[in-house]
């Protein structure tokens, strides 16, 4: 059985090393608080805000962000997948849709990371066609150097370099998602 670390994180069986810290748990918490305050202020008069989490990566960020908001809010999810690595064709497929009708609702899409921008671009176009009252995006991370499609991110946590990041929802081969910080792995050493 795996040893459970001091923060309750059980190291991944078969992983060679703990990922190096890129963004600490404390820095993530500070940023989530900051984003939650900005969002709560901006939507103070909007009535209900619908948070749309993009699975799987956004599940932890959405859980923390949604609980720190001080405005009325609801939560729904979508799941998407990209063909290949998503960098070349940019083809995105919807594999799980919302349960909520978003017409005339204020919608905030919550993403863990914007990499090439293909996923969020597809999602925003898809949701805009449903005529919400407003539509914005909140992303914890963005890899600026990898941008292929420019998308306005109204609420951004951190710009990061082009490295493979894991933890706080993000994975490498579906591992590391429950790591409490954002770490860096070298796929060649995994
Ligand atoms: C990741 C991430 C974003 C997308 C960003 O999802 O959660 O949704 O990639 O990449 P892009 O900007 O290049 O489109 P992934 O496909 O890895 O699925 P997951 O969230 O289920 O891990």
């Amino acid at each position: 059985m795996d040893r459970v670390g001091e923060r309750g994180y059980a190291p991944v069986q078969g992983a060679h090393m703990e990922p190096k810290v890129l963004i600490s748990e404390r820095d993530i918490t500070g940023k989530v608080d900051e984003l939650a305050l900005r969002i709560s202020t901006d939507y103070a008069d909007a009535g209900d805000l619908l948070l749309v989490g993009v699975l799987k990566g956004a599940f932890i960020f959405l859980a923390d962000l949604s609980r720190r908001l001080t405005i009325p809010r609801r939560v729904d999810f979508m799941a998407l997948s990209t063909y290949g690595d998503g960098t070349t064709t940019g083809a995105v497929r919807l594999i799980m849709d919302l349960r909520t009708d978003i017409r005339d609702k204020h919608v905030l899409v919550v993403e863990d990371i914007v990499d090439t921008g293909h996923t969020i671009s597809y999602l925003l176009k898809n949701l805009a066609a449903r005529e919400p009252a407003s539509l914005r995006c909140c992303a914890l991370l963005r890899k600026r150097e990898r941008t292929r499609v420019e998308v306005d991110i109204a609420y951004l946590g951190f710009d990061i370099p082009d490295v493979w990041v894991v933890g706080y929802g993000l994975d490498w081969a579906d591992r590391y998602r429950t790591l409490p910080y954002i770490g860096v792995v070298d796929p060649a050493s995994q």
Side-chain angles (χ1 to χ4, degrees):
M1 200 171 182
D2 284 339
R3 175 181 61 83
V4 176
E6 60 187 46
R7 283 175 296 194
Y9 170 65
V12 179
Q13 203 166 23
H16 298 298
M17 60 182 76
E18 288 284 290
K20 270 192 309 187
V21 177
L22 180 69
I23 305 171
S24 69
E25 192 174 0
R26 174 190 287 226
D27 286 349
I28 295 171
T29 302
K31 187 60 76 175
V32 173
D33 284 345
E34 185 189 311
L35 291 170
L37 180 62
R38 281 182 54 205
I39 294 166
S40 297
T41 305
D42 290 354
Y43 288 89
D45 301 322
D48 251 8
L49 175 64
L50 178 66
L51 301 164
V52 172
V54 185
L55 296 173
K56 300 181 189 172
F59 79 110
I60 291 179
F61 179 40
L62 178 67
D64 284 348
L65 183 72
S66 61
R67 288 178 296 170
R68 287 185 188 127
L69 295 176
T70 55
I71 52 172
R73 67 278 192 189
R74 290 173 301 131
V75 171
D76 204 344
F77 294 93
M78 292 177 90
L80 303 165
S81 78
T82 47
Y83 293 101
D85 65 2
T87 55
T88 45
T89 66
V92 178
R93 188 166 51 110
L94 181 63
I95 51 180
M96 191 188 88
D97 205 347
L98 297 173
R99 294 191 194 178
T100 318
D101 178 4
I102 63 167
R103 179 185 285 267
D104 299 330
K105 304 278 170 30
H106 294 284
V107 176
L108 182 65
V109 176
V110 179
E111 261 286 25
D112 53 328
I113 186 166
V114 174
D115 187 351
T116 63
H118 287 306
T119 303
I120 192 67
S121 165
Y122 169 90
L123 196 52
L124 291 176
K125 276 186 202 142
N126 181 300
L127 295 177
R130 308 181 196 193
E131 302 181 344
S134 71
L135 179 60
R136 285 184 183 161
C137 169
C138 173
L140 182 65
L141 306 174
R142 174 176 62 181
K143 285 186 187 172
R144 207 64 189 100
E145 313 161 40
R146 297 254 309 161
T147 302
R148 298 291 177 278
V149 188
E150 279 295 340
V151 174
D152 179 44
I153 303 172
Y155 306 97
L156 176 66
F158 304 94
D159 267 315
I160 60 166
D162 183 14
V163 289
W164 196 293
V165 279
V166 296
Y168 203 70
L170 291 110
D171 73 309
W172 176 80
D174 222 22
R175 294 172 174 175
Y176 296 117
R177 288 194 197 274
T178 57
L179 197 64
Y181 61 91
I182 303 286
V184 178
V185 291
D186 174 6
S189 71
Q190 296 295 309

